[in-house]
Amino acid sequence: PLQQNGKQGMYLRAPLLWQNRPLGMIGVIRWDAEFGPTDGPTIESIGVEVGAALENARRFAAAIEAADHDSVTQLYNHRAIHQRMDAEFSRASRQNRPLSIIMMDLNNFKLFNDTYGHPVGDDALAHVANVLRGEVGPTDILCRLGGDELAVLSPGTAVADAMALAERFLTSVRSAPLRHPDQRLRLAIRGGGG
């Protein structure tokens, strides 16, 4: 029993379920009235329906997230960044503010893959992505365009600041060698300059 402002209330709750797995609870309060014999099963049935809807929404969001991100670097992929570019170009035009795009590639990455193997190449891409994450601002958007090509979409960033950011990227990547899986060899990753 509950009380609020002199009213008596009854509380009935049921689990939110998805395939018999609890996801949360659903509750109903009835003031100045008791629950009937069918109210419990009705709330339980609603809990199963709401639980299924919540799980479907979670799975849909996870599928969208996976579809928008590169599996190696976890950065936005080619398709997703083009959608973001369209939106950011429109916003920059409307708000009359700068928008910079920095494009990068890893020099001789095919040779790197041929020498050390694709798994080490994937490790190198993921390593570079992590280094770049440490340099971007909260509104910058990192992506992998494909192969050895990466880009940063930087809303509100003028040319001089974009050049400084590109230099920071280059310095950071050059100063953070990848440790080879045998743990003895450190592999320098070189990006192009100029």
Side-chain angles (χ1 to χ4, degrees), residues 110-173:
K110 181 183 180 332
L111 178 62
F112 187 93
N113 268 338
D114 291 345
T115 303
Y116 298 107
H118 289 278
V120 177
D122 287 350
D123 289 346
L125 286 169
H127 174 75
V128 169
N130 286 331
V131 171
L132 296 179
R133 274 189 195 94
E135 295 296 334
V136 297
T139 60
D140 294 331
I141 304 163
L142 277 167
C143 77
R144 180 178 179 197
L145 292 174
D148 64 351
E149 298 169 338
L150 305 169
V152 178
L153 185 62
S154 192
T157 302
V159 173
D161 292 331
M163 293 296 291
L165 180 58
E167 285 297 324
R168 280 200 325 265
F169 287 158
L170 192 56
T171 300
S172 294
V173 168

Side-chain angles (χ1 to χ4, degrees), residues 32-108:
D32 289 332
E34 294 194 14
F35 288 103
T38 61
D39 291 332
T42 299
I43 297 296
E44 288 175 0
S45 177
I46 291 170
V48 169
E49 294 298 321
V50 171
L54 285 172
E55 182 62 18
N56 287 339
R58 185 196 66 76
R59 287 176 174 223
F60 179 76
I64 293 294
E65 180 79 7
D68 283 350
H69 288 80
D70 172 63
S71 62
V72 173
T73 62
Q74 304 309 310
L75 301 177
Y76 281 107
N77 61 26
H78 188 268
R79 182 190 64 79
I81 198 64
H82 280 281
Q83 291 174 344
R84 296 294 299 265
M85 273 192 232
D86 290 343
E88 291 299 334
F89 278 131
S90 294
R91 183 175 297 126
S93 293
R94 279 193 321 271
Q95 297 175 354
N96 194 28
R97 67 178 189 153
L99 172 66
S100 293
I101 300 173
I102 301 169
M103 298 183 70
M104 304 162 264
D105 69 32
L106 302 177
N107 291 345
N108 301 314

